[in-house]
């Protein structure tokens, strides 16, 4: 009964604030800070010392702590990384070059047309990923908390994680058998990979009644301000409503148009090749044994 009452209160708030945001030229900007922690215990095998793992984690920290900007109106949004100058000495060498190839480009969502477009560069090739919006089955928990000046409600869902797994490139355990390493490689085949399900927890606010959120997240009666997905946290740090200078929310249009499934197949094939090269190179991306 308590959960139903809070759910009803959420819908009432959504209706009230929707009236205030119904103006045709409404636009907003939300700034998000992302943070992802690496499972360094699985990286490098037993041949890498804890100090080496810490140094790698420190150098790669900037690649997993970024700022994104979501520009949105009642129907459309564009989600893109905030451009920053790289600090002197921040280069991560070959690892940085490799990981930058897996960084998502500008992402466009249209909740009315149920479409998603993403500008993506992958190892020097430009792609335009076109797909329908993911149909996430949200469960309202009735829990609330304050984020800044906004009252937020908690919702959860489960989705298939198709993002690049950095730990695939960990060095094989030389103390194990060849059969074990062979089985690990075999698990990457298309037919035998099991869906990697991940639980997602978000906090949204009906005070900004748009069905938008960072990345592919959407479909709640309010802007999503926080996402917790596995080792990744996305937290809204600033919101600007109806800025004096409005931005054009343009659909990405450059690159070879592919479906999400086709793009994932391309990435999968390339990562398998890289993993094999990594294994043969003794743990150095594209390198050789010394």
């Amino acid at each position: 009964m308590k959960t139903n009452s809070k759910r009803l209160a959420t819908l009432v708030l959504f209706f009230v604030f929707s009236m205030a945001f119904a103006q045709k030229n409404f636009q907003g900007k939300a700034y998000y800070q992302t943070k992802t922690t690496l499972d360094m215990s699985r990286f490098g095998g037993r041949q890498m010392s804890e100090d080496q793992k810490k140094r790698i984690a420190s150098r790669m920290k900037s690649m997993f702590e970024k700022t994104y900007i979501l520009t949105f109106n009642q129907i459309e949004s564009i989600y893109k990384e905030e451009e920053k100058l790289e600090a002197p000495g921040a280069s991560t060498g070959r690892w940085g070059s490799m990981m930058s190839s897996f960084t998502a480009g500008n992402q466009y969502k249209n909740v009315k047309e149920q479409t998603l477009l993403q500008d993506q560069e992958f190892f020097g090739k430009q792609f335009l990923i076109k797909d329908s919006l993911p149909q996430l089955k949200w469960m309202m928990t009735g829990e609330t908390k304050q984020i800044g000046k906004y009252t937020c409600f908690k919702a959860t869902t489960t989705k298939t994680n198709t993002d690049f797994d950095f730990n695939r490139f960990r060095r094989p355990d030389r103390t194990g058998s060849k059969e074990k390493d062979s089985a690990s490689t075999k698990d990457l085949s298309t037919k035998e990979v099991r869906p990697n399900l991940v639980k997602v927890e978000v906090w949204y606010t009906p005070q900004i009644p748009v069905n938008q959120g960072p990345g592919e997240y959407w479909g709640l009666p309010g802007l999503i301000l926080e996402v917790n997905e596995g080792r990744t946290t996305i937290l809204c740090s600033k919101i600007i409503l109806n800025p004096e200078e409005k931005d054009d929310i343009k659909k990405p249009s450059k690159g070879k148009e592919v479906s999400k499934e086709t793009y994932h197949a391309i990435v999968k094939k390339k990562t398998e090749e890289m993993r094999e090269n990594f294994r043969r190179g003794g743990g150095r991306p594209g390198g050789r044994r010394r």
Side-chain angles (χ1 to χ4, degrees), residues 171-187:
R171 185 179 301 168
D173 186 357
R174 300 300 178 189
T175 62
S177 65
K178 292 182 179 179
E179 287 77 10
K180 181 179 178 180
D181 186 53
S182 176
S184 177
T185 303
K186 188 176 181 181
D187 287 342

Side-chain angles (χ1 to χ4, degrees), residues 9-268:
T10 302
L11 294 174
V12 171
L13 279 172
F14 181 75
F15 175 77
V16 171
F17 286 111
S18 291
M19 299 300 292
F21 283 79
Q23 53 184 304
K24 184 178 179 181
N25 295 322
F26 164 75
Q27 189 180 99
K29 273 188 175 183
Y31 292 74
Y32 293 88
Q33 304 288 335
T34 68
K35 183 176 181 180
T36 300
T37 57
L38 287 175
D39 184 3
M40 297 304 294
S41 64
R42 298 175 56 198
F43 178 74
R46 299 181 181 181
Q47 297 183 6
M48 184 175 289
S49 68
E50 290 303 314
D51 286 340
Q52 288 175 314
K53 292 178 182 180
K54 287 180 181 179
R55 286 198 295 270
I56 290 176
S58 177
R59 289 199 299 267
M60 297 181 67
K61 183 178 179 181
S62 61
M63 292 189 292
F64 294 96
E65 295 185 3
K66 297 183 177 182
T67 301
Y68 288 85
I69 304 172
L70 179 72
T71 304
F72 59 89
N73 56 34
Q74 292 283 12
I75 297 174
E76 302 171 289
S77 70
I78 192 80
Y79 186 65
K80 58 185 179 181
E81 183 180 347
E82 184 180 39
E83 295 183 3
K84 291 183 179 180
L85 292 176
E86 185 175 303
S91 174
T92 53
R94 289 178 176 177
W95 284 114
S97 298
M98 182 185 73
M99 289 304 298
S100 64
S101 297
F102 295 92
T103 302
N106 294 349
Q107 189 180 76
Y108 169 88
K109 297 197 298 286
N110 188 309
V111 297
K112 184 177 181 180
E113 298 176 356
Q114 297 282 288
T115 56
L116 182 149
L117 292 171
Q118 183 167 311
D119 176 8
Q120 181 70 59
E121 183 179 346
F122 183 65
F123 282 93
K125 294 183 179 180
Q126 194 71 33
F127 294 93
L128 180 63
I129 304 171
K130 184 176 182 180
D131 208 342
S132 57
L133 287 175
Q135 301 302 309
L136 301 170
K137 296 181 180 179
W138 294 108
M139 292 185 62
M140 310 296 188
T141 68
E143 298 176 61
T144 64
K145 76 172 182 178
Q146 203 76 9
I147 298 180
K149 63 180 181 180
Y150 297 99
T151 299
C152 296
F153 293 78
K154 182 180 177 180
T156 62
T157 189
T158 301
K159 72 165 195 171
T160 301
N161 185 14
T162 55
D163 294 336
F164 169 68
D165 182 5
F166 181 74
N167 287 300
R168 283 185 179 182
F169 291 90
R170 64 185 186 276
R171 185 179 301 168
D173 186 357
R174 300 300 178 189
T175 62
S177 65
K178 292 182 179 179
E179 287 77 10
K180 181 179 178 180
D181 186 53
S182 176
S184 177
T185 303
K186 188 176 181 181
D187 287 342
L188 292 173
S189 65
T190 305
K191 293 182 180 180
E192 298 188 23
V193 164
R194 295 181 179 180
N196 181 15
L197 298 179
V198 60
K199 184 178 179 180
V200 181
E201 172 190 291
V202 305
W203 295 86
Y204 68 94
T205 177
Q207 290 174 259
I208 306 177
V210 294
N211 297 329
Q212 297 285 357
E216 296 184 354
Y217 295 107
W218 73 289
L220 286 165
L223 181 66
I224 298 172
L225 300 189
E226 181 178 335
V227 177
N228 295 289
E229 176 194 337
R231 292 178 174 272
T232 298
T233 298
I234 306 173
L235 181 62
C236 185
S237 58
K238 182 172 70 173
I239 296 175
I240 302 174
L241 298 178
N242 282 322
E244 292 184 4
E245 295 184 8
K246 292 182 171 56
D247 295 338
D248 290 333
I249 300 179
K250 296 180 179 180
K251 295 181 180 180
S253 58
K254 296 181 180 180
K256 179 182 178 182
E257 187 173 308
V258 294
S259 67
K260 184 185 294 184
E261 289 76 14
T262 300
Y263 179 73
H264 286 165
I266 293 170
V267 172
K268 177 177 167 48

